[in-house]
Amino acid sequence: MSRTRTAVLAALALVAGVSGPAVAVTPSSQAAISAIPCTVDYKIQNDWGSGFTAAVTVTNNSAAKSSWSVKWSYAGNQTVSSYWNTKLTQSGTAVTANNETYNGSLATGGSVSFGFNGTYSGTNAIPTAFTLDGVTCNVDDGSSGGGSGGGGGGTGTRVDNPYSGAKVYVNPEWSAKAAAEPGGTRVSNQPTGVWLDRIAAINGVNGGMGLRDHLDAALAQKGSGEEVVQLVIYDLPGRDCSALASNGELGPTEIDKYKSDFIDPIAAILSDSKYASLRIVTTIEIDSLPNLVTNTGSRATATANCDTMLANGNYVKGVGYALAKLGAIPNVYNYLDAGHHGWLGWDDNFAPSANLFKQAATSEGATVDDVQGFITNTANYSALKENNFTINDSVNGTSVRQSKWVDWNRYVDELSFAQAFRTELVSVGFNSGIGMLIDTSRNGWGGSARPTGPGPTTSVDAYVDGGRYDRRIHVGNWCNQAGAGLGERPQASPAAGIDAYVWMKPPGESDGSSSAIPNDEGKGFDQMCDPTYTGNARNGNNMSGALPNAPLSGHWFSAQFQQLMANAYPPLS
């Protein structure tokens, strides 16, 4: 059977760029795709397990061209071996197909086809993003159709990647705090997530901006282009059952209140036609579902609170309800939280997590069509890419997987985990067009402590510890980590299968207080935020690695912000 990735060409399609048979463009459907600058139909015509034949058809909906260049990247180790009707080159995972002398002309509405053979091992995932002469294909660029209210643009039809061709909302409240710090203006113009972490946040807390205020500000920033607004939906009943610092206001059984007082009011605001021209990205309930996989039952990391949430089903019900209600709004893009590699990368956690996410995404009226993608590393510190060692390395006959740091995990960084987990999610029934987000707000690990090469080969632990960028004491440490730095700046389509690198966790906002602080926000004291704490089963009974003198979670932590800037990688100029 052949596999294909092509733009949806039906006028009522909700997503541009999904898998399925190619669809012919008819006069009645041409208007629906006039804002899509180009489409790429990539078909695997034959696959024999170690090699494949692919056919690619490119359609140009923009100005006529006398030459063309199509680019994509693979998520796996696919290698092109021969090709026809194109001049094709490959560098690592990146492939560039240029025209031959005889097929360089590409009229408006015209198509050109080429093909190639390739080899691979493991999986042969179809690429998720293509460009024609640098312009992203299979994505509505917003150039046709009028938006409703507040700045124009937007058609009410979802695009494959909301970040493509769009600006991202800069939260003026966070920006002002960042700019007030010495050196903070270097990053204060970066987009960050807006956290709706309690019911009161919908209308604004202590005179601060509420949801409508942020959306109105986003319309003002938007102008005539496209604008993404990033929201974190985070108030499940019995929230964060394994970490007291981020406990919430709702008790374990208050699922009805979660629906009526939290999700319903948010949905009512987001569905206002005034905001129809915005691309609204929601990060759905961080840390909730992964806790049900790793911190329940007979596991050493189990907690009574997590067992309760597994038994009553309110995490699954709450996530399903949020996906269904928000997914019904055409300009909302739901991204479900998927933990991070140091949480779900082990065999015992990897596949069970994907299956649990599928269960949640098909509960309470939700379907997989309500999930546009997943986000990893939210508010965490896992390095984006470890360049000094791989999971396949060995030292004196001992695999890197046996090192204390990796501890039999199959992944050593977020990029490899996110790409592999995306493939797993598709295999359990999520749409093949889903994309991943990676939170890079605090995973740069730069500064003088950043290794410049591999560690010594005296032992596997020396090799890994000497070369790893992630300088945490243990991969299970998550609270206000000492030595961390800002990571990659937010950007769209940075790698195969990745919709964007984002700063969903606003840098400078605390993970939790270093000691108990009375509060009316429902937030407890977690010992993992105490720098003197000697650990538990979830971090291998190591020191917490937390910074001292931290305020409540979500409150401004100047010392942390200064550290993040000082250790940024790439460095700040």
Side-chain angles (χ1 to χ4, degrees):
M1 295 179 64
S2 67
R3 286 176 286 157
T4 181
R5 179 177 175 86
T6 184
V8 173
L9 303 181
L12 297 180
L14 290 181
V15 182
V18 301
S19 292
V23 181
V25 181
T26 65
S28 62
S29 65
Q30 183 65 48
I33 63 165
S34 60
I36 300 174
C38 49
T39 62
V40 173
D41 180 13
Y42 179 112
K43 292 179 180 176
I44 296 178
Q45 296 181 313
N46 191 17
D47 190 323
W48 52 93
S50 60
F52 64 101
T53 300
V56 180
T57 300
V58 183
T59 302
N60 173 38
N61 297 323
S62 301
K65 301 175 181 292
S66 60
S67 63
W68 48 264
S69 180
V70 177
K71 296 183 179 182
W72 68 87
S73 293
Y74 286 117
N77 61 1
Q78 295 97 323
T79 301
V80 174
S81 55
S82 61
Y83 47 87
W84 48 94
N85 292 337
T86 182
K87 296 176 180 176
L88 198 148
T89 59
Q90 183 170 0
S91 177
T93 60
V95 178
T96 299
N98 292 313
N99 62 275
E100 287 278 15
T101 55
Y102 56 81
N103 64 357
S105 296
L106 191 53
T108 302
S111 298
V112 64
S113 297
F114 58 88
F116 58 91
N117 291 322
T119 60
Y120 74 96
S121 61
T123 59
N124 186 21
I126 292 174
T128 59
F130 301 87
T131 63
L132 172 61
D133 295 338
V135 176
T136 301
C137 297
N138 300 355
V139 174
D140 187 339
D141 68 358
S143 62
S144 72
S148 50
T155 63
T157 300
R158 289 195 187 99
V159 297
D160 182 56
N161 178 0
Y163 290 86
S164 180
K167 297 183 295 184
V168 187
Y169 174 60
V170 177
N171 179 349
E173 291 185 316
W174 175 83
S175 182
K177 293 175 183 176
E181 293 281 344
T185 55
R186 293 174 294 174
V187 296
S188 59
N189 65 338
Q190 294 290 348
T192 54
V194 174
W195 285 56
L196 301 174
D197 60 356
R198 45 184 160 150
I199 294 167
I202 299 171
N203 293 319
V205 178
N206 298 325
M209 296 173 70
L211 178 54
R212 282 193 179 274
D213 298 320
H214 285 293
L215 296 174
D216 290 340
L219 287 175
Q221 290 182 20
K222 179 180 183 297
S224 60
E226 297 294 344
E227 177 97 357
V228 171
V229 180
Q230 302 175 126
L231 306 177
V232 178
I233 309 301
Y234 186 44
D235 199 27
L236 273 180
R239 188 180 75 192
D240 217 345
C241 57
S242 69
L244 300 175
S246 45
N247 283 168
E249 62 188 346
L250 300 179
T253 63
E254 293 188 279
I255 184 66
D256 292 337
K257 187 174 182 180
Y258 172 78
K259 294 177 178 180
S260 63
D261 292 12
F262 185 64
I263 295 299
D264 288 356
I266 291 173
I269 293 172
L270 298 187
S271 62
D272 189 332
S273 61
K274 178 182 182 181
Y275 306 121
S277 65
L278 297 171
R279 298 176 181 178
I280 301 170
V281 165
T282 60
T283 292
I284 303 295
E285 296 295 353
I286 63 172
D287 294 349
S288 58
L289 297 177
N291 272 315
L292 300 186
V293 175
T294 66
N295 298 323
T296 55
S298 61
R299 297 206 183 201
T301 55
T303 71
N305 290 338
C306 291
D307 282 336
T308 294
M309 300 317 300
L310 178 63
N312 67 24
N314 284 342
Y315 277 4
V316 169
K317 295 174 186 175
V319 167
Y321 187 82
L323 290 172
K325 289 288 289 189
L326 302 178
I329 305 168
N331 59 316
V332 169
Y333 298 78
N334 289 323
Y335 287 80
L336 189 54
D337 182 76
H340 54 87
H341 90 275
W343 191 353
L344 302 186
W346 283 273
D347 293 346
D348 288 350
N349 304 337
F350 193 77
S353 295
N355 287 314
L356 179 62
F357 296 160
K358 173 71 178 303
Q359 178 189 346
T362 52
S363 68
E364 299 290 307
T367 73
V368 293
D369 292 332
D370 294 314
V371 180
Q372 277 67 55
F374 290 76
I375 181 169
T376 77
N377 207 44
T378 309
N380 205 262
Y381 298 85
S382 296
L384 179 66
K385 182 71 173 72
E386 292 282 9
N387 293 322
N388 294 328
F389 63 96
T390 76
I391 205 68
N392 299 315
D393 293 349
S394 61
V395 176
N396 302 323
T398 303
S399 167
V400 157
R401 291 190 69 201
Q402 294 175 256
S403 66
K404 292 179 181 177
W405 173 256
V406 178
D407 191 25
W408 296 103
N409 200 319
R410 289 201 181 273
Y411 304 95
V412 299
D413 52 37
E414 281 307 293
L415 182 56
S416 63
F417 168 73
Q419 290 174 327
F421 199 53
R422 179 187 176 280
T423 299
E424 182 71 16
L425 291 160
V426 171
S427 76
V428 302
F430 284 98
N431 295 330
S432 60
I434 59 171
M436 307 297 286
L437 305 178
I438 301 177
D439 189 347
T440 59
S441 59
R442 303 183 302 178
N443 70 348
W445 296 104
S448 60
R450 184 179 178 86
T452 58
T457 56
T458 52
S459 71
V460 70
D461 286 323
Y463 176 69
V464 171
D465 290 339
R468 59 182 169 94
Y469 299 139
D470 188 336
R471 305 314 298 171
R472 286 178 293 177
I473 299 170
H474 187 274
V475 73
N477 287 354
W478 55 266
C479 193
N480 301 324
Q481 289 299 285
L486 300 169
E488 290 284 347
R489 314 310 179 246
Q491 56 184 291
S493 305
I498 310 300
D499 281 352
Y501 296 152
V502 298
W503 283 6
M504 201 61 71
K505 172 71 171 181
E509 291 189 1
S510 173
D511 294 320
S513 58
S514 301
S515 58
I517 299 177
N519 67 90
D520 60 358
E521 301 176 30
K523 295 171 181 175
F525 165 59
D526 195 298
Q527 286 183 296
M528 288 297 290
C529 301
D530 176 359
T532 68
Y533 182 52
T534 56
N536 55 44
R538 285 188 289 280
N539 80 330
N541 296 298
N542 286 282
M543 297 296 291
S544 70
L547 292 169
N549 305 314
L552 288 172
S553 62
H555 290 226
W556 191 254
F557 190 7
S558 176
Q560 183 195 51
F561 186 73
Q562 288 295 328
Q563 172 193 264
L564 292 173
M565 289 194 297
N567 293 334
Y569 193 88
L572 298 178
S573 56

